């Protein structure tokens, strides 16, 4: 039905079982079973069905749309934006209303739903009885609320979409719609002022503001690809119409104040504005055209009377238009964002208007991310700052023993025949662990993990290369003038930055792997000896002749043995300390604590979506429990330095007392080689464990990288399809 004001059409969508995508996502990404949320899954489908089927201007539709939008906003804290559901919507404006747009994007869905809420408000305004002051007040309120929703959509929702908005949701289009809705709200205020018999000067100020808003709507409409030429012609005519109405009312005020020359000037300008509006006549509907002609007839009559009276009676000079004072503006129409839209959390609860929060018992996605960040940060703190430092101290002990030829030189003297007990226990440990097989298996497992990481990384990198070549092909095809979107490296700067980082990780790991293999090759022969029977080891270690040990040498040997035992006890305590620290880390379950913290944050910041960054203070406080272990490193190092000096002094005295005795040199060297091989084995096992953990951690990084690449490529291809359709459209 024809009208002198416009309304925003609804966007249409296709049927979608959102619950299926949510259920699949919970199954894949969360530890909780989707059957726990059976009722919530049914509710979200029901809410969507009710919201997207609002097609008539009835007040009941407001709650249906707001309830679904509110729950979608709430769910944004529980799920990522790309939940796995392809939301399909048809534009409501422009020349592509039959071409659907699909996005795997919760914010895209929310944007469309809120767009329809603004459309509903505009249609409720049209349906209001604007023949009464109460109806006009109601219509203007609906328009202001619609403008508020569009404003919220533009400033709060579209920027979070992480993708280019559809043509009828870009900045120019939304600005045009916003100003149109405000113009029509202001027009209702103007019409009510006329009905209520306001003074002409006040009505003129209201009309001048209506004219400004229609002008802004038209200007933004020209910049939009979606605003039709009919709407632009309509807003242009309305702009001139209300400029004419403003001058007419100001002329009436001049007549009342006996400013007869200014009255004539303003009536002439009013006629000029009406004539500008009538240039759009062939594009206007009968009602708008009738309003214009009615105004023109009234102004023409008044101008004839005013000119005649001034020429014959008042003889006031008629000022040129340039000397007329610019009319003041009275702005009554401002965007009103419904609280249900700006603060939906306030309406969600057991007794809330939008019902209880859906998936409340599902751990928010941000909490999962935060828990992973804490685990990584804690493991890095414990492994890098504590355990690695302790291992470095232990390596220094072994290096010192190796340089002093201990314990081989002491064992050869104390037990010239057979195998020393320490060596026997070490050999038994090597045999029990099946050391050589264990190392070979660990090398193989690390290689498989590395290959898997590289395969995932290369898949992501190939996706980026493919997307870049696709974009380059389209750029060559359409040229830089028409293909204006950012190039691939700019659009995915973070992903391309990760390519270099991950590549660096893999190269560094490869160098470390080669170093560990080199260590193994150096001690492989001795490990084979240690893996054999005691008899075979005895055959490898030569016996020395038994000689009487001089008293002085016996004293020094005893001192050296005591010093060596103290060092061994320190190393044993350290191994236990490392095991206790690993056990402490293993029992450091953050789940209950982080859920309590998440609940506190949700209560404290109800209108803010939870993010991992919100848990920083919680992390810092939680990690303080490891401060005591970090502080203990200093005393550990000091004790080792003291024992090392003591050992070196005792060994120097032992060597001096034994000077000239070469009877056990061959046995000493053999025993030392076996001891060195044992410690090297322990070192390699530790290195391989670190490597295994590194590749497992890298698996998480490359998997996230691949997911990011897939999401980016999907969004870019969808964007390319839309852009290609736009650039291939015929000129209008």
């Amino acid at each position: 039905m024809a009208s002198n004001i416009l309304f925003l059409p609804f966007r249409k969508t296709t049927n979608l079982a959102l619950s299926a995508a949510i259920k699949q996502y919970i199954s894949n990404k969360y530890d909780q079973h989707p059957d726990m949320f059976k009722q919530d899954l049914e509710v979200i489908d029901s809410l969507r069905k009710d919201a997207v089927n609002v097609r008539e201007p009835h007040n009941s539709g407001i709650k249906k749309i707001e309830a679904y939008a509110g729950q979608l906003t709430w769910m944004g804290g529980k799920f990522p934006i790309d939940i796995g559901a392809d939301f399909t919507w048809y534009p409501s404006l422009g020349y592509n209303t039959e071409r659907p747009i699909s996005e795997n994007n919760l914010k895209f869905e929310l944007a469309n739903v809120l767009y329809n809420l603004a459309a509903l408000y505009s249609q409720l305004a049209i349906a209001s009885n604007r023949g009464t002051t109460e109806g006009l007040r109601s219509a203007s309120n609906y328009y202001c609320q619609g403008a508020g929703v569009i404003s919220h959509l533009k400033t709060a929702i579209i920027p979070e979409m992480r993708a280019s908005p559809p043509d009828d949701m870009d900045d120019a289009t939304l600005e045009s719609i916003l100003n149109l809705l405000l113009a029509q709200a202001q027009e209702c205020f103007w019409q009510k002022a006329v009905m209520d018999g306001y003074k002409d000067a006040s009505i003129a100020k209201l009309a001048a503001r209506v004219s400004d808003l229609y002008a802004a709507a038209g200007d933004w409409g020209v910049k939009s690809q979606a605003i039709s030429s009919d709407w632009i012609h309509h807003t242009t005519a309305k702009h001139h119409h209300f400029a004419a109405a403003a001058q007419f009312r100001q002329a009436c005020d001049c007549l009342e104040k006996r400013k007869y020359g200014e009255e004539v000037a303003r009536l002439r300008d009013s006629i000029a504005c009406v004539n500008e509006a009538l240039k759009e006549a062939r594009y206007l509907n009968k009602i708008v055209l009738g309003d214009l002609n009615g105004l023109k007839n009234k102004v023409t009559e008044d101008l004839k009377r005013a000119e005649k009276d001034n020429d014959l009676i008042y003889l006031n000079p008629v000022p040129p238009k340039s000397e007329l004072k610019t009319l003041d503006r009275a702005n009554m129409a401002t965007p009103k964002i419904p609280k249900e839209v700006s603060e939906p959390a306030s309406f969600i609860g057991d007794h809330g208007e939008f019902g209880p929060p859906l998936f409340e018992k599902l751990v928010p996605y941000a909490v999962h991310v935060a828990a992973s960040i804490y685990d990584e940060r804690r493991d890095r703190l414990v492994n890098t700052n504590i355990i690695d430092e302790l291992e470095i101290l232990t390596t220094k002990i072994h290096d010192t023993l190796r340089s002093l030829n201990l314990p081989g030189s002491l064992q050869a003297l104390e037990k010239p025949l057979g195998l020393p007990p320490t060596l026997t226990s070490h050999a038994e440990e090597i045999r029990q662990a099946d050391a050589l097989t264990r190392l070979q298996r660990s090398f193989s497992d690390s290689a498989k993990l590395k290959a898997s990481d590289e395969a995932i990384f290369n898949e992501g990198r190939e996706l980026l290369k493919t997307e870049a070549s696709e974009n380059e092909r389209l750029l060559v095809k359409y040229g830089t003038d028409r293909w204006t979107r950012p190039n691939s490296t700019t659009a995915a700067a973070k992903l391309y930055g990760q390519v270099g980082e991950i590549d660096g990780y893999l190269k560094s790991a490869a160098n470390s792997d080669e170093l560990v293999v080199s260590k193994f090759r150096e001690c492989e022969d001795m490990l084979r000896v240690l893996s054999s029977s005691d008899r075979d080891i005895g055959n490898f270690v030569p016996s020395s002749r038994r000689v009487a040990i001089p008293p002085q040498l016996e004293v020094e040997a005893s001192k050296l043995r005591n010093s060596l035992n103290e060092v061994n006890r320190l190393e044993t305590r350290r191994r236990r300390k490392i095991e206790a620290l690993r056990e402490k880390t293993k029992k450091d379950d953050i789940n209950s604590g982080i859920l309590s913290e998440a609940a506190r944050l949700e209560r404290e910041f109800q209108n803010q979506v939870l993010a991992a960054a919100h848990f920083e203070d919680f992390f810092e406080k939680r990690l303080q429990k490891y401060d005591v272990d970090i502080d203990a490193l200093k005393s550990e190092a000091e004790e080792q330095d003291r024992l090392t000096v003591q050992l070196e002094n005792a060994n120097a005295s032992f060597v001096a007392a034994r000077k000239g005795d070469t009877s056990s040199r061959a046995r000493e060297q053999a025993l030392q080689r076996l001891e060195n091989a044992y410690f090297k084995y322990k070192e390699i096992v530790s290195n391989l464990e670190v490597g295994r953990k590194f590749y497992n951690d890298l698996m998480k990084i490359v998997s996230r990288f691949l997911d990011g690449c897939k999401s980016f490529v999907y969004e870019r291809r969808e964007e390319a399809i839309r852009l290609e359709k736009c650039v291939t459209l015929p000129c209008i």
Side-chain angles (χ1 to χ4, degrees):
M1 187 176 70
S3 173
N4 63 349
I5 53 179
L6 302 174
F7 67 89
L8 194 59
F10 288 117
R11 292 171 69 88
K12 297 177 182 177
T13 185
T14 56
N15 291 330
L16 170 72
L18 179 54
S19 60
I22 296 173
K23 189 174 182 179
Q24 185 65 40
Y25 192 88
I26 294 174
S27 297
N28 293 342
K29 300 291 184 179
Y30 290 84
D31 294 332
Q32 295 155 283
H33 197 280
D35 286 349
M36 292 172 58
F37 310 100
K38 184 177 180 181
Q39 185 175 354
D40 290 348
L41 292 167
E42 292 173 356
V43 170
I44 194 63
D45 278 344
S46 176
L47 286 174
R48 185 177 198 273
K49 183 179 178 182
D50 289 345
V52 302
N53 285 319
V54 173
R55 288 284 178 268
E56 299 295 331
H58 193 279
N59 277 301
S60 62
I62 295 175
K63 183 179 177 181
K64 291 178 181 178
I65 296 177
E66 286 178 342
Y68 180 50
Q71 292 289 1
L72 278 180
T73 304
W74 161 261
M75 285 166 55
K78 298 284 185 179
F79 299 101
I81 194 170
D82 51 343
I83 196 172
D86 287 327
F87 300 101
T88 301
W89 288 85
Y90 290 82
S92 66
L93 299 175
Y95 306 98
N96 299 310
T97 55
E98 298 304 316
R99 296 181 184 177
I101 299 171
S102 294
E103 294 274 0
N104 173 19
N105 191 317
L106 276 176
K107 293 295 182 183
F108 175 72
E109 170 83 343
L110 179 59
N112 281 279
V113 171
L114 289 178
Y115 187 100
N116 274 0
L117 179 59
L120 176 59
Y121 277 126
S122 75
Q123 294 182 33
L124 285 169
I126 287 277
S128 299
N129 181 6
R130 287 176 290 122
T132 65
T133 56
E134 188 59 36
L136 286 168
R137 184 183 295 110
S138 177
S140 64
N141 187 53
Y142 283 136
Y143 278 128
C144 288
Q145 288 182 296
V149 174
I150 292 295
S151 176
H152 180 74
L153 176 61
K154 177 178 177 290
T155 57
I157 308 301
I158 298 296
E160 292 184 358
M161 273 178 55
R162 303 181 197 168
S164 298
D167 284 346
D168 59 345
M169 285 192 197
D170 64 8
D171 273 356
T173 305
L174 293 182
E175 279 290 347
S176 180
I177 293 171
L178 176 64
N179 281 284
L180 173 66
L181 295 176
L182 290 175
Q184 296 183 160
Q186 183 80 9
E187 184 175 346
C188 290
F189 279 109
W190 167 84
Q191 192 174 345
K192 181 177 180 298
V194 173
M195 277 189 182
D196 290 345
Y198 279 42
K199 290 183 178 181
D200 289 316
S202 298
I203 296 174
K205 292 175 183 178
L206 290 169
R209 181 58 182 159
V210 177
S211 176
D212 292 344
L213 289 167
Y214 273 121
D219 290 344
W220 282 108
V222 170
K223 298 173 184 177
S224 165
Q225 299 293 319
I227 300 297
S228 69
S229 56
D230 287 346
W231 277 31
I232 294 171
H233 290 305
H234 175 90
T235 54
T236 302
K238 283 280 197 172
H239 158 58
H240 293 302
H241 179 167
F242 278 93
Q247 292 291 23
F248 169 69
R249 286 291 178 169
Q250 193 64 28
C252 294
D253 184 66
C254 289
L255 175 61
E256 185 180 342
K257 294 176 179 177
R258 301 179 180 182
K259 298 178 181 179
Y260 304 112
E262 184 179 339
E263 177 197 11
V264 172
R266 292 195 180 276
L267 288 171
R268 287 174 180 172
D269 188 52
S270 180
I271 285 290
C273 290
V274 170
N275 289 333
E276 282 296 318
L278 287 171
K279 289 180 180 178
E280 310 289 338
R282 61 175 178 157
Y283 305 107
L284 305 177
N285 66 45
K286 292 180 180 179
I287 296 178
V288 175
L289 192 57
D291 290 344
L292 276 171
N293 284 323
L295 177 61
K296 183 177 181 179
N297 293 337
K298 175 62 177 168
V299 175
T300 301
E301 289 175 9
D302 277 22
L303 179 59
K304 286 180 181 177
R305 188 253 326 139
E307 285 179 333
K308 181 179 179 181
D309 288 350
N310 192 53
D311 289 344
L312 296 177
I313 303 171
Y314 307 117
L315 304 175
N316 283 0
V318 178
K321 181 180 178 180
S322 59
E323 293 182 9
L324 291 176
K325 181 186 174 184
T326 302
L327 296 179
D328 292 331
R329 267 66 172 164
N331 186 38
M332 302 300 292
T334 55
K336 295 179 183 176
I337 306 176
K339 195 174 180 183
E340 292 86 347
V341 173
S342 61
E343 301 176 24
S346 304
F347 298 84
I348 294 176
D350 291 336
H351 303 291
E353 191 177 338
F354 298 164
L358 298 182
F359 308 101
E360 184 179 21
K361 293 181 181 178
L362 183 70
V363 178
Y365 179 71
V367 175
H368 279 277
V369 174
S372 298
I373 290 172
Y374 174 79
D375 288 344
E376 290 176 9
R377 196 174 295 179
R378 178 202 60 210
D379 291 347
R380 186 166 62 248
L381 173 71
V382 171
N383 292 322
T384 304
N385 294 7
I386 305 174
I387 293 179
D388 283 359
E389 292 299 320
L390 291 172
E391 296 285 8
I392 289 171
L393 289 174
T394 301
T395 301
K396 287 181 179 178
I397 290 177
H398 295 161
D399 291 342
T400 300
L401 292 175
R402 203 158 28 243
S403 68
L404 299 177
N405 209 24
L406 290 172
S409 61
L410 192 57
Q411 289 173 342
L413 178 68
E414 292 175 335
K415 192 171 178 61
L417 300 174
L419 299 177
T422 306
L423 180 61
T424 303
S425 67
H426 288 170
E428 183 60 25
E429 183 182 338
I430 293 291
R431 286 193 290 268
Q432 288 289 338
D434 194 8
L436 288 170
T437 304
R438 177 185 178 184
L439 291 180
Q440 295 288 4
R441 187 167 56 246
S442 294
F443 281 124
S444 175
D445 290 345
S446 290
K448 288 177 182 176
L449 286 172
K450 179 183 178 183
S452 179
D453 289 349
E454 287 178 333
I456 295 172
F457 172 56
N458 288 332
E459 184 181 350
R461 188 158 55 178
E462 284 303 313
L463 281 172
L464 291 180
K465 287 181 180 177
T466 302
E467 190 282 325
S469 63
E470 289 173 357
N471 189 64
E472 188 63 30
R473 177 180 59 78
L474 292 168
L475 182 62
V476 171
K477 181 177 179 181
Y478 296 111
T480 54
D481 290 339
R482 290 194 293 168
W483 199 255
T484 56
R485 71 172 180 171
N487 61 34
S488 301
T489 52
T490 302
K494 185 177 179 181
L495 289 174
Y496 277 92
Q498 287 179 324
V499 170
E501 289 178 14
I502 296 172
D503 195 44
Y505 294 153
L506 288 169
K507 286 178 180 176
S508 176
N511 292 333
S512 299
D513 291 346
E514 289 177 10
L515 185 61
V516 176
V517 171
S518 174
K519 288 181 185 178
F520 174 67
R521 297 298 176 216
E522 290 174 7
C523 66
E524 185 177 7
D525 291 343
M526 290 300 100
L527 286 177
R528 290 190 187 282
V529 175
L530 282 173
S531 300
S532 61
S533 64
D534 285 351
R535 182 174 181 178
D536 290 335
I537 298 174
N539 291 335
F540 174 78
V541 178
S543 299
S544 59
R545 59 188 175 83
R546 184 180 296 276
V547 295
I549 302 176
Q552 182 61 32
L553 179 57
E554 189 169 356
V555 170
E556 299 302 337
S558 177
K559 289 181 180 177
L560 181 58
R561 170 54 67 188
N562 289 337
S563 294
L564 188 59
N565 286 342
E566 284 192 59
V567 171
N568 288 337
R569 282 194 291 272
L570 173 67
E571 189 176 346
T572 301
R573 287 198 305 273
R574 185 172 295 159
R575 280 200 300 271
R576 288 173 183 163
K577 185 178 291 186
I578 290 173
E579 288 304 315
L581 187 55
R582 284 181 174 145
E583 191 63 25
K584 178 180 177 180
T585 305
K586 189 176 179 181
K587 290 179 179 178
D588 185 9
D589 185 358
I590 197 177
N591 287 335
S592 60
I594 203 168
L595 285 174
S596 299
E597 179 67 7
R600 184 189 71 78
L601 290 169
E602 285 180 336
R603 287 193 303 272
E604 198 167 323
F605 306 101
Q606 293 186 5
N607 298 319
Q608 192 170 351
V609 177
L610 270 185
H614 295 150
F615 295 89
E616 283 299 324
D617 292 341
F618 174 73
F619 292 162
E620 189 173 337
K621 186 176 180 180
R622 182 95 179 186
L623 290 172
Q624 287 175 358
K625 67 168 68 177
Y626 298 100
D627 287 350
V628 62
D629 300 295
I630 295 173
D631 294 339
L633 283 173
K634 185 178 180 182
S635 59
E636 187 86 11
E638 289 173 351
E639 184 181 4
Q640 178 169 313
D641 289 343
R642 181 183 65 79
L643 292 177
T644 301
V645 171
Q646 179 181 299
L647 180 68
E648 288 173 340
N649 292 336
N651 186 69
S653 300
F654 172 74
V655 171
R658 198 179 167 208
K659 192 173 182 181
D661 179 15
T662 59
S663 59
S664 60
R665 184 59 54 83
R667 178 177 175 80
E668 178 183 322
Q669 290 176 349
L671 290 172
Q672 190 61 42
R673 287 176 67 194
L674 291 173
E675 286 291 336
N676 290 346
Y678 169 77
F679 288 122
K680 189 67 74 175
Y681 161 74
K682 301 291 282 185
E683 190 179 322
I684 292 169
V685 168
S686 176
N687 293 155
L688 287 171
E689 179 61 23
V690 170
R692 182 192 64 78
K693 187 175 186 314
F694 168 80
Y695 284 122
N696 280 328
D697 290 343
L698 187 60
M699 175 72 74
K700 299 175 187 175
I701 294 172
V702 295
S703 296
R704 285 198 295 265
F705 169 72
L706 178 58
D707 289 344
C709 291
K710 287 179 177 177
S711 178
F712 168 70
V713 171
Y714 173 82
E715 289 171 4
R716 289 278 280 185
R717 284 174 176 165
E718 289 294 311
E719 182 184 51
I721 291 171
R722 293 199 301 272
L723 289 175
E724 203 166 8
K725 286 176 180 176
C726 290
V727 298
T728 54
L729 282 174
C731 296
I732 297 175

